[in-house]
Amino acid sequence: MRALHAGLALSALVTLWQAAVWLFDPPSYLIPSPMAVAAALAQRPGLFVEHGLVTLGEILAGFLSGTVFGIATAFGLAALPRVGQLVWPMVLILQALPVFVLAPILVLWLGFGMASKVAMTTIIIFFPVASAFADGLRRTDRAILDAVSLTAATHWQALVSIRAPLALPGLVSGLRVAAPLAPLGAVIGEWVGASAGLGFVMVQANARMQTDSVFAAMAMLAVLTILLRIAVDRLTAGLTPWVAETDPTAFPSLRRRTQR
């Protein structure tokens, strides 16, 4: 995702939002206008920045730990395939548990502080990263594995030197899917019980019918999501040079259409 495209998409969304407000004129306590949301942000910028930094810290810590656990799990199950056949169904069963049920349990176990929100984000990030990387490890070209089997390489050497590098495109896809989910995990945890964070601001503002402040917090969360996705794209851009991404506008049919 390019910052320019994200900015254009955000501008288009705000324009549509403002047009809908002008057209349907809903009560401000239902849907405030973008100008009202901007005014709410401008009235208390310190409040939103302070709580936004709390949520950002939870997002980054949860994203990092979820990525590490996801990669380690996928790699460990590929290194020990017999154990993986037993453990992987357990992972899928745990994935089926609704996160909204887990959130209050995590608060009960870890308290109202940052730990329960980081744990919530870690759980949400773990599954797409582990699934994508494990899928990449399972999809190594059979011809390559047959060629490796003719050498003296061990199972571990083949996994580290051949299968893991070839699975990196799958890992990158998993990270890109997981990035927009990280803020969701942090905010769910904050909604259940917190003393700081954008989710806490939303709960407090919603109880006071301050819809413009709720939307202001959501706008900040959307910006954090876009920035995290752009950061993931930038950090993973050079990991898989042998499978460079294709620019969709480079397709001949699209290029001809844009030249008309």
Side-chain angles (χ1 to χ4, degrees), residues 67-78 87-88 91 126 130 133-134:
T67 299
V68 171
F69 282 124
I71 292 174
T73 301
F75 192 84
L77 297 183
V87 174
W88 195 245
V91 174
F126 169 81
F133 192 37

Side-chain angles (χ1 to χ4, degrees), residues 1-249:
M1 177 186 289
R2 295 179 180 177
L4 176 61
H5 294 163
L8 291 175
L10 190 60
S11 301
L13 190 61
V14 171
T15 302
L16 290 174
W17 177 8
Q18 183 63 60
V21 170
W22 280 336
L23 184 62
F24 299 105
D25 193 22
S28 59
Y29 64 87
L30 290 181
I31 302 180
S33 67
M35 296 299 293
V37 174
L41 276 169
Q43 287 174 359
R44 295 181 293 176
L47 173 76
F48 289 101
V49 170
E50 177 187 352
H51 289 277
L53 289 176
V54 173
T55 301
L56 179 61
E58 295 165 353
I59 291 171
L60 294 178
F63 186 82
L64 181 61
S65 59
T67 299
V68 171
F69 282 124
I71 292 174
T73 301
F75 192 84
L77 297 183
L80 304 169
R82 291 184 179 179
V83 177
Q85 291 176 354
L86 178 64
V87 174
W88 195 245
M90 297 181 186
V91 174
L92 296 179
I93 292 172
L94 293 175
Q95 187 178 9
L97 297 177
V99 293
F100 293 99
V101 176
L102 293 176
I105 297 175
L106 290 174
V107 171
L108 185 65
W109 288 349
L110 303 174
F112 288 89
M114 185 175 179
S116 57
K117 287 71 182 173
V118 173
M120 191 73 232
T121 307
T122 300
I123 291 172
I124 288 182
I125 295 300
F126 169 81
F127 293 111
V129 173
S131 298
F133 192 37
D135 190 59
L137 289 169
R138 285 195 297 268
R139 291 181 180 276
T140 307
D141 193 323
R142 189 68 212 176
I144 295 176
L145 293 179
D146 289 341
V148 173
S149 66
L150 298 177
T151 69
T154 63
H155 168 69
W156 175 259
Q157 290 171 329
L159 178 62
V160 173
S161 303
I162 304 295
R163 295 177 61 192
L166 292 177
L168 285 180
L171 174 61
V172 171
S173 298
L175 291 172
R176 289 177 176 176
V177 171
L181 300 176
L184 177 65
V187 169
I188 288 176
E190 290 170 354
W191 267 82
V192 173
S195 58
L198 292 176
F200 171 76
V201 173
M202 291 179 198
V203 171
Q204 297 295 315
N206 191 50
R208 299 183 176 91
M209 296 290 288
Q210 296 172 343
T211 313
D212 52 351
S213 295
V214 176
F215 274 73
M218 287 196 294
M220 285 200 65
L221 198 64
V223 171
L224 291 179
T225 301
I226 291 173
L227 292 177
L228 181 61
R229 173 58 195 267
I230 292 175
V232 169
D233 284 350
R234 295 287 177 86
L235 292 174
T236 59
L239 283 180
T240 57
W242 61 93
V243 283
E245 294 184 36
T246 302
D247 185 354
T249 59

